[in-house]
Amino acid sequence: MFGRFFKREYARVVYSSEYIYGLPSMGRHQSFDIMRFKKIRDKLVKERLLTRRNILRPDPCSYDDLRLVHTEDYIKRIKDPQYASKILKLDVFNLLYNSILEYFRVVTGGTLLATAYALKWNVPVFNLGGGYHHAHPDRAEGFCLVNDVAIAIQKFRHLQRGKKFMIIDLDYHQGNGNLLFFKDDPDIYTFSIHADTWVEIDRQQNKDILMSSGCTDEQYLATLEKELGESCLSFRPDVVFYIAGSDVYEKDTLGDMKLSREGVLRRNQYVFHRVRERKIPLVILAGGGYGQDSWEVYYDFIAWGLRHKS
Ligand SMILES: [Zn+2]
Protein backbone atom coordinates (compact mmCIF):
# COMPACT_ATOMS: atom_id res chain seq x y z
CA MET A 1 0.00 0.00 0.00
CA PHE A 2 2.99 2.33 0.33
CA GLY A 3 4.18 1.50 -3.15
CA ARG A 4 3.52 4.84 -4.73
CA PHE A 5 5.64 6.61 -2.13
CA PHE A 6 8.71 4.62 -3.07
CA LYS A 7 8.73 5.97 -6.58
CA ARG A 8 11.60 8.31 -7.18
CA GLU A 9 9.52 11.24 -8.35
CA TYR A 10 8.30 11.74 -4.79
CA ALA A 11 10.02 13.78 -2.14
CA ARG A 12 12.29 11.97 0.32
CA VAL A 13 13.11 12.51 3.99
CA VAL A 14 16.50 12.33 5.72
CA TYR A 15 16.55 11.56 9.44
CA SER A 16 18.65 9.76 12.03
CA SER A 17 17.77 8.92 15.62
CA GLU A 18 21.04 10.66 16.50
CA TYR A 19 19.37 13.95 15.57
CA ILE A 20 17.84 14.22 19.04
CA TYR A 21 20.88 13.52 21.17
CA GLY A 22 23.07 16.55 20.73
CA LEU A 23 20.65 19.31 21.55
CA PRO A 24 20.41 19.98 25.27
CA SER A 25 17.29 21.88 26.29
CA MET A 26 18.82 23.69 29.21
CA GLY A 27 20.17 27.08 30.16
CA ARG A 28 19.87 29.84 27.62
CA HIS A 29 18.44 27.49 24.99
CA GLN A 30 15.55 26.14 27.02
CA SER A 31 13.14 27.08 24.22
CA PHE A 32 14.59 24.22 22.13
CA ASP A 33 12.25 21.31 21.72
CA ILE A 34 14.79 18.51 21.34
CA MET A 35 12.07 16.11 20.25
CA ARG A 36 10.96 18.39 17.40
CA PHE A 37 12.25 16.26 14.54
CA LYS A 38 11.34 12.95 16.13
CA LYS A 39 7.77 14.21 16.57
CA ILE A 40 7.65 15.03 12.87
CA ARG A 41 9.10 11.64 11.89
CA ASP A 42 6.67 9.80 14.19
CA LYS A 43 3.62 11.63 12.87
CA LEU A 44 4.63 11.09 9.23
CA VAL A 45 4.93 7.37 9.98
CA LYS A 46 1.64 7.34 11.90
CA GLU A 47 -0.13 9.09 9.03
CA ARG A 48 1.36 6.52 6.65
CA LEU A 49 3.14 9.15 4.59
CA LEU A 50 6.48 7.59 5.39
CA THR A 51 7.74 4.17 6.37
CA ARG A 52 10.77 3.74 8.62
CA ARG A 53 12.41 1.75 5.82
CA ASN A 54 11.96 4.58 3.38
CA ILE A 55 13.84 7.17 5.45
CA LEU A 56 17.30 8.12 4.18
CA ARG A 57 19.75 7.70 7.06
CA PRO A 58 22.94 9.76 7.08
CA ASP A 59 26.40 8.98 8.36
CA PRO A 60 28.29 11.74 10.17
CA CYS A 61 30.14 13.99 7.73
CA SER A 62 33.90 13.49 7.72
CA TYR A 63 36.50 15.84 9.15
CA ASP A 64 37.60 16.50 5.57
CA ASP A 65 34.06 17.69 4.87
CA LEU A 66 34.28 20.08 7.83
CA ARG A 67 37.57 21.41 6.44
CA LEU A 68 35.80 22.51 3.24
CA VAL A 69 34.47 25.46 5.24
CA HIS A 70 35.95 25.49 8.74
CA THR A 71 39.52 26.18 9.78
CA GLU A 72 41.76 23.46 11.20
CA ASP A 73 42.19 25.40 14.41
CA TYR A 74 38.43 25.81 14.90
CA ILE A 75 37.76 22.10 14.25
CA LYS A 76 40.40 21.20 16.80
CA ARG A 77 38.80 23.49 19.37
CA ILE A 78 35.20 22.28 18.90
CA LYS A 79 36.26 18.64 19.37
CA ASP A 80 36.51 19.58 23.04
CA PRO A 81 32.92 19.28 24.40
CA GLN A 82 33.61 21.79 27.17
CA TYR A 83 34.74 24.36 24.63
CA ALA A 84 31.78 23.60 22.33
CA SER A 85 29.31 23.96 25.18
CA LYS A 86 30.95 27.20 26.29
CA ILE A 87 30.76 28.89 22.89
CA LEU A 88 27.16 27.76 22.48
CA LYS A 89 26.52 29.17 25.97
CA LEU A 90 25.30 25.89 27.41
CA ASP A 91 25.53 24.57 30.91
CA VAL A 92 28.79 22.59 31.12
CA PHE A 93 27.52 19.88 33.46
CA ASN A 94 25.35 17.94 31.03
CA LEU A 95 26.67 14.57 29.87
CA LEU A 96 24.91 15.04 26.54
CA TYR A 97 27.43 17.72 25.67
CA ASN A 98 29.93 15.08 24.63
CA SER A 99 27.82 14.61 21.54
CA ILE A 100 27.53 18.23 20.44
CA LEU A 101 30.03 18.02 17.59
CA GLU A 102 28.73 14.54 16.77
CA TYR A 103 25.20 15.94 16.42
CA PHE A 104 26.40 18.62 13.99
CA ARG A 105 28.42 16.04 12.02
CA VAL A 106 25.38 13.78 11.63
CA VAL A 107 23.06 16.63 10.61
CA THR A 108 25.66 17.87 8.14
CA GLY A 109 25.94 14.30 6.85
CA GLY A 110 22.16 14.54 6.41
CA THR A 111 22.43 17.71 4.34
CA LEU A 112 25.14 16.05 2.21
CA LEU A 113 22.99 12.95 1.72
CA ALA A 114 19.95 15.10 0.84
CA THR A 115 22.02 17.01 -1.71
CA ALA A 116 23.45 13.86 -3.29
CA TYR A 117 20.00 12.35 -3.56
CA ALA A 118 18.36 15.51 -4.91
CA LEU A 119 21.07 15.82 -7.58
CA LYS A 120 20.98 12.18 -8.58
CA TRP A 121 17.19 11.76 -8.83
CA ASN A 122 16.08 15.38 -9.15
CA VAL A 123 13.47 15.09 -6.43
CA PRO A 124 12.94 17.38 -3.43
CA VAL A 125 14.63 16.06 -0.30
CA PHE A 126 13.79 17.22 3.23
CA ASN A 127 16.40 17.03 5.97
CA LEU A 128 14.73 16.79 9.40
CA GLY A 129 17.31 19.25 10.69
CA GLY A 130 20.08 21.42 9.28
CA GLY A 131 20.23 24.98 8.02
CA TYR A 132 22.83 26.17 10.56
CA HIS A 133 23.33 29.42 8.73
CA HIS A 134 25.09 31.52 11.37
CA ALA A 135 28.26 29.41 11.62
CA HIS A 136 31.50 30.99 10.33
CA PRO A 137 34.73 29.24 9.25
CA ASP A 138 36.42 30.03 12.55
CA ARG A 139 33.62 30.69 15.01
CA ALA A 140 30.15 29.63 16.09
CA GLU A 141 27.21 31.95 16.37
CA GLY A 142 23.52 31.63 17.27
CA PHE A 143 23.74 27.96 18.24
CA CYS A 144 25.30 27.08 14.87
CA LEU A 145 28.54 25.18 15.37
CA VAL A 146 28.96 23.85 11.82
CA ASN A 147 27.63 25.38 8.61
CA ASP A 148 26.04 22.40 6.86
CA VAL A 149 24.75 24.24 3.78
CA ALA A 150 28.09 25.91 3.03
CA ILE A 151 29.81 22.51 3.40
CA ALA A 152 27.33 20.89 1.00
CA ILE A 153 27.83 23.62 -1.59
CA GLN A 154 31.62 23.40 -1.32
CA LYS A 155 31.53 19.63 -1.63
CA PHE A 156 29.17 19.33 -4.57
CA ARG A 157 30.48 22.22 -6.63
CA HIS A 158 33.60 20.13 -7.25
CA LEU A 159 31.44 17.37 -8.70
CA GLN A 160 29.20 19.78 -10.58
CA ARG A 161 31.69 22.19 -12.10
CA GLY A 162 30.24 25.41 -13.46
CA LYS A 163 26.97 24.87 -11.61
CA LYS A 164 25.24 27.66 -9.76
CA PHE A 165 23.72 27.32 -6.30
CA MET A 166 21.01 29.36 -4.65
CA ILE A 167 20.24 29.56 -0.95
CA ILE A 168 16.68 30.63 -0.21
CA ASP A 169 16.74 31.42 3.48
CA LEU A 170 13.36 32.23 5.01
CA ASP A 171 14.32 31.64 8.61
CA TYR A 172 13.31 34.47 10.99
CA HIS A 173 17.03 35.28 11.36
CA GLN A 174 19.33 36.42 8.57
CA GLY A 175 21.80 33.76 7.40
CA ASN A 176 24.89 35.86 8.04
CA GLY A 177 27.29 32.90 7.97
CA ASN A 178 26.39 32.01 4.39
CA LEU A 179 26.23 35.65 3.32
CA LEU A 180 29.76 36.35 4.49
CA PHE A 181 31.21 33.04 3.34
CA PHE A 182 29.92 33.40 -0.23
CA LYS A 183 30.10 37.18 -0.55
CA ASP A 184 32.73 37.15 -3.32
CA ASP A 185 31.39 34.09 -5.09
CA PRO A 186 29.56 34.74 -8.38
CA ASP A 187 28.14 31.21 -8.53
CA ILE A 188 26.18 31.45 -5.29
CA TYR A 189 23.03 33.54 -4.89
CA THR A 190 21.71 34.17 -1.40
CA PHE A 191 18.07 35.17 -1.03
CA SER A 192 16.83 36.00 2.43
CA ILE A 193 13.72 37.42 4.06
CA HIS A 194 14.07 37.94 7.80
CA ALA A 195 13.19 40.23 10.69
CA ASP A 196 16.58 40.10 12.34
CA THR A 197 19.63 41.40 10.46
CA TRP A 198 23.09 40.28 11.65
CA VAL A 199 25.31 41.80 8.97
CA GLU A 200 24.99 44.36 6.15
CA ILE A 201 26.44 43.27 2.83
CA ASP A 202 26.17 44.87 -0.54
CA ARG A 203 26.63 42.31 -3.27
CA GLN A 204 25.05 41.64 -6.61
CA GLN A 205 24.13 37.99 -6.20
CA ASN A 206 22.12 38.65 -3.11
CA LYS A 207 18.68 39.70 -2.04
CA ASP A 208 18.44 40.64 1.60
CA ILE A 209 14.99 41.76 2.73
CA LEU A 210 14.18 43.00 6.20
CA MET A 211 10.56 42.58 7.32
CA SER A 212 9.05 44.28 10.32
CA SER A 213 8.35 42.44 13.54
CA GLY A 214 4.75 41.33 13.69
CA CYS A 215 4.39 41.03 9.92
CA THR A 216 1.35 39.11 8.74
CA ASP A 217 0.73 36.37 6.17
CA GLU A 218 -0.36 38.89 3.55
CA GLN A 219 2.63 41.21 4.00
CA TYR A 220 5.09 38.34 4.00
CA LEU A 221 3.66 36.45 1.05
CA ALA A 222 3.31 39.60 -1.06
CA THR A 223 7.02 40.36 -0.54
CA LEU A 224 8.06 36.78 -1.22
CA GLU A 225 6.05 36.55 -4.43
CA LYS A 226 7.33 39.88 -5.68
CA GLU A 227 11.00 39.14 -5.06
CA LEU A 228 11.61 35.43 -5.39
CA GLY A 229 10.30 34.68 -8.87
CA GLU A 230 12.45 37.42 -10.30
CA SER A 231 15.63 36.32 -8.48
CA CYS A 232 15.13 32.67 -9.37
CA LEU A 233 14.50 33.49 -12.99
CA SER A 234 17.40 35.85 -13.47
CA PHE A 235 20.03 33.73 -11.70
CA ARG A 236 18.97 30.33 -13.09
CA PRO A 237 20.35 28.17 -10.29
CA ASP A 238 21.17 24.49 -10.87
CA VAL A 239 20.52 23.54 -7.25
CA VAL A 240 18.47 25.28 -4.55
CA PHE A 241 18.93 24.97 -0.80
CA TYR A 242 15.81 26.13 1.02
CA ILE A 243 16.17 26.92 4.73
CA ALA A 244 12.50 26.69 5.74
CA GLY A 245 12.84 28.18 9.23
CA SER A 246 9.75 27.72 11.38
CA ASP A 247 10.55 30.65 13.66
CA VAL A 248 8.36 32.94 11.53
CA TYR A 249 5.34 31.06 12.95
CA GLU A 250 3.07 33.06 15.29
CA LYS A 251 3.38 30.38 17.98
CA ASP A 252 7.18 30.39 17.89
CA THR A 253 8.59 31.43 21.25
CA LEU A 254 11.62 33.27 19.85
CA GLY A 255 10.52 35.01 16.64
CA ASP A 256 7.92 37.79 16.68
CA MET A 257 6.39 37.54 13.23
CA LYS A 258 2.70 36.72 13.02
CA LEU A 259 2.50 34.10 10.30
CA SER A 260 -0.34 31.64 10.80
CA ARG A 261 0.11 27.89 10.39
CA GLU A 262 -1.65 28.17 7.04
CA GLY A 263 0.51 31.17 6.08
CA VAL A 264 3.76 29.27 6.74
CA LEU A 265 2.49 26.38 4.62
CA ARG A 266 1.62 28.78 1.81
CA ARG A 267 5.10 30.28 2.05
CA ASN A 268 6.69 26.84 1.83
CA GLN A 269 4.46 25.72 -1.03
CA TYR A 270 5.25 28.89 -2.96
CA VAL A 271 9.00 28.30 -2.75
CA PHE A 272 8.57 24.62 -3.59
CA HIS A 273 6.50 25.40 -6.69
CA ARG A 274 8.80 28.16 -7.97
CA VAL A 275 11.81 25.87 -7.76
CA ARG A 276 10.21 22.62 -8.90
CA GLU A 277 8.32 24.12 -11.83
CA ARG A 278 11.79 24.69 -13.27
CA LYS A 279 12.77 21.12 -12.34
CA ILE A 280 15.64 22.34 -10.18
CA PRO A 281 16.97 19.87 -7.57
CA LEU A 282 15.72 21.08 -4.18
CA VAL A 283 17.26 20.44 -0.77
CA ILE A 284 15.09 21.57 2.15
CA LEU A 285 16.51 22.23 5.62
CA ALA A 286 14.56 22.79 8.83
CA GLY A 287 16.29 25.96 10.10
CA GLY A 288 15.08 27.46 13.39
CA GLY A 289 11.89 26.79 15.30
CA TYR A 290 11.37 27.28 19.03
CA GLY A 291 8.84 26.19 21.61
CA GLN A 292 6.52 23.22 21.79
CA ASP A 293 4.40 24.09 18.73
CA SER A 294 7.07 24.87 16.16
CA TRP A 295 7.35 21.30 14.84
CA GLU A 296 3.82 21.50 13.40
CA VAL A 297 4.66 23.82 10.54
CA TYR A 298 7.64 21.81 9.23
CA TYR A 299 5.49 18.70 9.58
CA ASP A 300 2.75 20.32 7.45
CA PHE A 301 5.27 21.13 4.72
CA ILE A 302 6.78 17.64 4.60
CA ALA A 303 3.36 15.95 4.73
CA TRP A 304 2.24 18.08 1.81
CA GLY A 305 5.53 17.49 -0.02
CA LEU A 306 5.24 13.72 0.35
CA ARG A 307 1.73 13.74 -1.11
CA HIS A 308 2.70 16.06 -3.92
CA LYS A 309 3.99 14.50 -7.12
CA SER A 310 7.02 16.57 -8.01
ZN1 LIG B 1 16.14 31.44 13.17
Side-chain angles (χ1 to χ4, degrees):
M1 74 184 290
F2 299 111
R4 67 195 181 98
F5 296 116
F6 286 106
K7 288 183 183 168
R8 288 189 181 116
E9 64 263 41
Y10 285 91
R12 297 294 300 263
V13 173
V14 175
Y15 176 76
S16 161
S17 56
E18 290 175 62
Y19 278 19
I20 66 170
Y21 296 141
L23 288 173
S25 59
M26 295 173 66
R28 186 170 168 267
H29 297 283
Q30 56 188 309
S31 55
F32 273 118
D33 172 11
I34 60 167
M35 303 308 275
R36 176 180 169 206
F37 300 121
K38 184 177 180 299
K39 284 181 192 169
I40 296 174
R41 192 277 311 262
D42 289 351
K43 189 163 183 194
L44 291 170
V45 170
K46 193 172 162 221
E47 299 290 325
R48 301 189 163 191
L49 291 166
L50 192 65
T51 62
R52 284 168 198 271
R53 245 182 55 197
N54 203 24
I55 294 168
L56 303 173
R57 292 174 205 284
D59 292 321
C61 78
S62 69
Y63 283 94
D64 279 343
D65 293 332
L66 294 179
R67 287 183 193 103
L68 293 168
V69 168
H70 297 286
T71 65
E72 196 65 53
D73 179 57
Y74 177 68
I75 294 166
K76 204 172 131 196
R77 281 184 282 138
I78 60 176
K79 278 182 185 169
D80 173 0
Q82 290 233 347
Y83 179 81
S85 62
K86 197 174 133 210
I87 58 175
L88 294 177
K89 298 186 173 61
L90 302 169
D91 186 334
V92 289
F93 298 112
N94 190 323
L95 289 174
L96 287 170
Y97 294 166
N98 280 325
S99 55
I100 291 176
L101 178 57
E102 195 57 20
Y103 164 78
F104 281 97
R105 285 179 61 213
V106 177
V107 170
T108 300
T111 301
L112 292 173
L113 177 60
T115 310
Y117 203 91
L119 282 166
K120 183 169 183 187
W121 300 108
N122 197 1
V123 291
V125 185
F126 293 88
N127 189 4
L128 278 182
Y132 289 107
H133 57 176
H134 299 306
H136 301 281
D138 58 353
R139 67 193 161 93
E141 212 169 31
F143 203 73
C144 300
L145 197 68
V146 167
N147 192 324
D148 57 309
V149 171
I151 288 172
I153 289 175
Q154 292 302 77
K155 183 158 182 147
F156 285 94
R157 69 193 315 183
H158 296 297
L159 303 171
Q160 303 262 320
R161 286 193 187 280
K163 298 285 188 200
K164 298 193 294 183
F165 298 81
M166 185 168 187
I167 302 171
I168 298 174
D169 189 339
L170 300 187
D171 189 272
Y172 174 87
H173 305 91
Q174 182 198 41
N176 58 322
N178 289 322
L179 264 180
L180 286 168
F181 189 72
F182 293 117
K183 69 180 167 40
D184 299 320
D185 197 322
D187 293 328
I188 317 292
Y189 193 112
T190 46
F191 179 99
S192 177
I193 298 178
H194 47 262
D196 190 18
T197 300
W198 294 42
V199 68
E200 303 275 358
I201 283 185
D202 187 21
R203 71 184 286 254
Q204 257 196 335
Q205 313 280 33
N206 172 32
K207 197 156 270 187
D208 204 53
I209 300 157
L210 180 66
M211 299 297 288
S212 59
S213 295
C215 87
T216 61
D217 291 352
E218 286 66 33
Q219 292 166 327
Y220 192 100
L221 292 168
T223 304
L224 176 66
E225 289 175 24
K226 179 170 169 277
E227 304 287 354
L228 182 64
E230 200 182 283
S231 302
C232 245
L233 268 179
S234 57
F235 186 66
R236 297 178 181 277
D238 297 290
V239 182
V240 170
F241 291 84
Y242 174 31
I243 301 176
S246 301
D247 41 7
V248 298
Y249 182 30
E250 60 186 350
K251 289 189 182 174
D252 191 273
T253 55
L254 192 62
D256 57 7
M257 285 185 179
K258 293 284 171 267
L259 270 71
S260 67
R261 187 167 172 175
E262 171 65 22
V264 182
L265 181 61
R266 279 167 60 204
R267 176 199 75 166
N268 290 335
Q269 289 169 334
Y270 182 81
V271 174
F272 188 101
H273 282 310
R274 291 293 77 75
V275 176
R276 293 302 298 162
E277 72 193 1
R278 296 178 174 82
K279 289 285 171 205
I280 301 168
L282 175 61
V283 180
I284 301 153
L285 296 320
Y290 307 92
Q292 291 300 311
D293 298 310
S294 102
W295 69 277
E296 304 173 327
V297 289
Y298 198 42
Y299 167 80
D300 289 345
F301 185 23
I302 300 174
W304 174 83
L306 290 172
R307 290 190 185 102
H308 183 90
K309 193 169 183 297
S310 181

